[in-house]
């Protein structure tokens, strides 16, 4: 059953004129007549008595109109629901690394609640490695993490990149001189989780003769990392964007190091074939939020092109 034909039937019953109905539906009188003739053939009854200027519903036409109006109304409601973000309900499961949690994630969640007030959001904050494992098991819908994910039907979009800086507490009395890797190695190194991207960089940096008796402490919690560095336990390479309060209060100082630490690239991953139509939309909202955060913080984080 063609819903356009039923809509034509409803409007002709209301306007009682082929020309007016054609104008209302932005079509021709011949098209209106053809649609009504098709419906009459499908139903096996005559729907209208045709006069010189107007048409009138037959008894069968009046009966059919009741159902046609219901079906057209239902279709209209369905279209409205599909285009109205306010109606999106259900649950979306978002995995996010702590570096994002401590930066622009609150703004991102605020935007989601504003755009989709009926949506239930479940958040899993963990390391990139663990988030990828959960995603592969189907436990997460969207992942905001460091680096891309690989696999069939997975889409990655760039969010931003966080420059990394070595930082330490004034308690260490390091001073403002430029440090070599050998100088850094005299302090305990506080690192992101083992096998994470930043941890792998540290392993490469201090490989060979530079490493010596280097003591690397791998911490899965970013908050714990920051606390340990603040207390003077050691030095760490972290994004300045996530320690703005500590830097402003001067309980952490950026260190001058003669080797640059690579930036931490943030990306959103989701399944392109996911039955949930919101996954890509949510990833794009994350992208917009990260871009706004980058503009606000200037050099502390940098925007990336929208596509990988």
């Amino acid at each position: 059953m063609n819903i356009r034909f039923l809509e034509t039937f409803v409007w002709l019953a209301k306007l009682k004129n082929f020309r007016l109905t054609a104008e209302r539906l932005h079509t021709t009188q011949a098209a209106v007549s053809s649609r009504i003739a098709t419906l009459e053939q499908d139903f096996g009854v005559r729907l209208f008595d045709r006069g010189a200027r107007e048409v009138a519903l037959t008894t069968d036409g009046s009966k059919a109109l009741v159902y046609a109006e219901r079906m057209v109304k239902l279709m209209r409601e369905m279209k409205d629901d599909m285009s109205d973000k306010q109606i999106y309900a259900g649950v979306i499961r978002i995995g996010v690394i702590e570096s994002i949690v401590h930066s622009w994630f609150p703004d991102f969640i605020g935007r989601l609640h504003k755009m989709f007030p009926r949506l239930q959001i479940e958040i899993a904050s963990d390391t990139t490695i663990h988030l990828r494992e959960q995603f592969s098991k189907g436990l997460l819908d969207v992942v905001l993490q460091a680096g891309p994910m690989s696999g069939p039907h997975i889409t990655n979009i760039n969010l931003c990149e966080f420059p990394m800086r070595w930082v330490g507490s004034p308690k260490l009395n390091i001073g403002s001189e430029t440090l070599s890797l050998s100088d850094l190695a005299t302090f305990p190194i506080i690192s992101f989780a083992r096998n994470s991207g930043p941890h792998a960089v540290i392993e490469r940096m201090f490989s060979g003769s530079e490493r010596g008796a280097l003591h690397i402490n791998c911490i899965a919690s970013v908050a714990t990392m920051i606390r340990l560095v603040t207390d003077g336990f050691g030095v760490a390479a972290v994004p300045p964007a996530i320690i703005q309060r500590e830097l402003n209060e001067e309980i952490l100082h950026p260190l001058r190091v003669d080797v640059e630490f690579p930036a931490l690239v943030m990306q959103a991953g989701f399944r392109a074939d996911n039955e949930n139509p919101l996954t890509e939309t949510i990833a794009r909202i994350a992208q917009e939020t990260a871009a706004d955060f980058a503009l606000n913080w200037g050099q502390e984080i940098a925007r990336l092109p929208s596509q990988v």
Side-chain angles (χ1 to χ4, degrees), residues 29-300:
Q29 293 185 53
V32 171
S33 180
S34 175
R35 293 173 187 178
I36 298 301
T38 299
L39 288 176
E40 290 179 329
Q41 183 177 0
D42 289 344
F43 293 143
V45 298
R46 191 159 46 87
L47 300 174
F48 293 97
D49 286 326
R50 293 159 174 78
R53 294 187 176 181
E54 291 188 344
V55 297
L57 284 167
T58 63
T59 301
D60 289 326
S62 296
K63 293 178 182 179
L65 180 62
V66 175
Y67 296 99
E69 287 177 331
R70 291 179 187 172
M71 295 176 70
V72 170
K73 181 175 181 292
L74 184 62
M75 179 59 70
R76 188 179 301 115
E77 291 175 353
M78 181 179 177
K79 288 182 178 179
D80 290 342
D81 282 351
M82 292 299 100
S83 61
D84 185 1
K85 295 177 181 178
Q86 298 292 325
I87 59 85
Y88 279 118
V91 177
I92 194 78
R93 302 162 301 175
I94 302 174
V96 57
I97 61 173
E98 274 196 272
S99 293
I100 293 177
V101 169
H102 289 277
S103 53
W104 48 264
F105 192 70
D107 292 338
F108 166 65
I109 292 298
R111 292 188 183 191
L112 288 187
H113 279 303
K114 184 176 181 179
M115 295 183 66
F116 309 107
R118 296 177 57 190
L119 187 66
Q120 298 180 47
I121 303 172
E122 294 183 358
I123 300 169
S125 178
D126 210 326
T127 63
T128 292
I129 295 174
H130 290 159
L131 291 177
R132 290 177 179 176
E133 291 176 354
Q134 293 180 56
F135 183 83
S136 66
K137 296 176 181 177
L139 301 178
L140 296 173
D141 300 307
V142 180
V143 175
L144 311 178
Q145 58 166 7
M149 290 191 295
S150 60
H153 309 298
I154 292 178
T155 298
N156 296 285
I157 63 173
N158 288 319
L159 299 175
C160 62
E161 64 177 15
F162 283 178
M164 301 282 286
R165 291 289 302 273
W166 287 99
V167 297
S169 168
K171 299 175 183 178
L172 297 179
N173 297 316
I174 294 179
S176 60
E177 65 273 12
T178 299
L179 305 175
S180 67
L181 293 181
S182 296
D183 295 328
L184 281 180
T186 62
F187 301 95
I189 303 295
I190 302 172
S191 166
F192 285 83
R194 187 173 302 278
N195 298 322
S196 65
H199 175 260
V201 171
I202 291 175
E203 288 282 352
R204 289 195 299 271
M205 275 186 168
F206 292 94
S207 62
S209 59
E210 294 288 355
R211 183 178 180 116
L214 180 69
H215 187 194
I216 301 178
N217 304 273
C218 298
I219 311 293
S221 167
V222 172
T224 303
M225 284 182 61
I226 296 173
R227 177 59 186 270
L228 288 174
V229 181
T230 301
D231 288 346
F233 179 76
V235 297
V238 298
I242 71 173
I243 54 169
Q244 288 299 307
R245 181 183 64 82
E246 290 79 6
L247 292 174
N248 291 335
E249 295 178 2
E250 298 186 347
I251 57 177
L252 283 181
H253 287 166
L255 306 177
R256 295 179 181 272
V257 180
D258 61 4
V259 177
E260 184 176 355
F261 203 103
L264 194 61
V265 178
M266 303 298 183
Q267 294 186 318
F270 58 93
R271 290 182 182 82
D273 63 341
N274 196 314
E275 294 181 359
N276 191 330
L278 279 184
T279 52
E280 181 172 0
T281 299
I282 286 174
R284 296 296 177 186
I285 294 172
Q287 186 180 61
E288 293 171 4
T289 307
D292 290 343
F293 187 80
L295 291 175
N296 291 334
W297 285 111
Q299 296 300 317
E300 295 302 341

